[in-house]
Short mmCIF file of all heavy atoms in Angstrom, two decimals:
data_model
loop_
_atom_site.label_atom_id
_atom_site.label_comp_id
_atom_site.label_asym_id
_atom_site.label_seq_id
_atom_site.Cartn_x
_atom_site.Cartn_y
_atom_site.Cartn_z
N LYS A 2 0.63 2.10 -0.93
CA LYS A 2 1.44 3.31 -1.02
C LYS A 2 1.07 4.31 0.06
O LYS A 2 -0.06 4.34 0.54
CB LYS A 2 1.27 3.96 -2.40
CG LYS A 2 1.85 3.11 -3.52
CD LYS A 2 1.90 3.90 -4.81
CE LYS A 2 0.52 4.37 -5.21
NZ LYS A 2 0.54 5.01 -6.52
N VAL A 3 2.06 5.13 0.40
CA VAL A 3 1.84 6.12 1.44
C VAL A 3 0.67 7.02 1.09
O VAL A 3 -0.16 7.35 1.92
CB VAL A 3 3.11 6.98 1.64
CG1 VAL A 3 2.80 8.12 2.59
CG2 VAL A 3 4.23 6.12 2.18
N SER A 4 0.60 7.39 -0.16
CA SER A 4 -0.45 8.32 -0.57
C SER A 4 -1.85 7.73 -0.40
O SER A 4 -2.83 8.44 -0.48
CB SER A 4 -0.25 8.72 -2.03
OG SER A 4 -0.31 7.59 -2.87
N GLU A 5 -1.91 6.44 -0.16
CA GLU A 5 -3.23 5.82 -0.01
C GLU A 5 -3.52 5.43 1.43
O GLU A 5 -4.62 5.02 1.75
CB GLU A 5 -3.31 4.56 -0.89
CG GLU A 5 -3.27 4.89 -2.38
CD GLU A 5 -3.14 3.62 -3.22
OE1 GLU A 5 -2.93 2.54 -2.63
OE2 GLU A 5 -3.25 3.74 -4.44
N ARG A 6 -2.52 5.59 2.28
CA ARG A 6 -2.66 5.08 3.64
C ARG A 6 -3.82 5.69 4.41
O ARG A 6 -4.58 4.99 5.03
CB ARG A 6 -1.37 5.30 4.42
CG ARG A 6 -0.42 4.13 4.33
CD ARG A 6 0.81 4.38 5.16
NE ARG A 6 0.48 4.86 6.49
CZ ARG A 6 1.19 5.76 7.15
NH1 ARG A 6 2.25 6.30 6.57
NH2 ARG A 6 0.87 6.14 8.35
N LYS A 7 -3.92 6.98 4.31
CA LYS A 7 -4.95 7.64 5.10
C LYS A 7 -6.09 8.15 4.24
O LYS A 7 -6.64 9.21 4.48
CB LYS A 7 -4.34 8.79 5.91
CG LYS A 7 -3.46 8.32 7.04
CD LYS A 7 -4.26 7.68 8.16
CE LYS A 7 -3.38 7.11 9.27
NZ LYS A 7 -2.51 8.10 9.87
N ARG A 8 -6.42 7.40 3.22
CA ARG A 8 -7.56 7.79 2.38
C ARG A 8 -8.81 7.93 3.24
O ARG A 8 -9.10 7.08 4.08
CB ARG A 8 -7.81 6.73 1.31
CG ARG A 8 -6.97 6.93 0.07
CD ARG A 8 -7.58 8.02 -0.80
NE ARG A 8 -8.90 7.62 -1.26
CZ ARG A 8 -9.11 6.69 -2.18
NH1 ARG A 8 -8.10 6.08 -2.75
NH2 ARG A 8 -10.33 6.37 -2.54
N ILE A 9 -9.50 9.01 2.99
CA ILE A 9 -10.69 9.23 3.79
C ILE A 9 -11.84 8.39 3.29
O ILE A 9 -12.29 8.53 2.16
CB ILE A 9 -11.11 10.72 3.73
CG1 ILE A 9 -10.05 11.57 4.37
CG2 ILE A 9 -12.42 10.91 4.47
CD1 ILE A 9 -9.74 11.17 5.77
N ASP A 10 -12.31 7.51 4.16
CA ASP A 10 -13.45 6.67 3.80
C ASP A 10 -14.28 6.48 5.04
O ASP A 10 -14.22 5.46 5.71
CB ASP A 10 -12.95 5.33 3.25
CG ASP A 10 -14.12 4.49 2.78
OD1 ASP A 10 -15.15 5.08 2.42
OD2 ASP A 10 -14.00 3.26 2.80
N ILE A 11 -15.03 7.50 5.35
CA ILE A 11 -15.79 7.51 6.59
C ILE A 11 -17.11 6.79 6.39
O ILE A 11 -17.88 7.15 5.51
CB ILE A 11 -16.08 8.95 7.02
CG1 ILE A 11 -14.82 9.79 6.90
CG2 ILE A 11 -16.66 8.97 8.41
CD1 ILE A 11 -15.08 11.25 7.07
N PRO A 12 -17.38 5.81 7.20
CA PRO A 12 -18.68 5.15 7.13
C PRO A 12 -19.78 6.18 7.39
O PRO A 12 -19.72 6.88 8.38
CB PRO A 12 -18.63 4.14 8.27
CG PRO A 12 -17.19 4.00 8.63
CD PRO A 12 -16.54 5.31 8.28
N GLY A 13 -20.72 6.28 6.50
CA GLY A 13 -21.80 7.24 6.67
C GLY A 13 -21.44 8.64 6.21
O GLY A 13 -22.22 9.55 6.28
N LEU A 14 -20.23 8.78 5.71
CA LEU A 14 -19.81 10.09 5.21
C LEU A 14 -19.09 9.85 3.89
O LEU A 14 -18.01 10.33 3.64
CB LEU A 14 -18.88 10.77 6.21
CG LEU A 14 -18.55 12.24 5.99
CD1 LEU A 14 -19.81 13.04 6.02
CD2 LEU A 14 -17.60 12.74 7.03
#
Side-chain angles (χ1 to χ4, degrees):
Chain A
K2 293 191 301 186
V3 173
S4 60
E5 293 172 352
R6 268 182 48 216
K7 289 290 176 58
R8 275 280 297 287
I9 295 304
D10 184 26
I11 314 170
L14 191 60

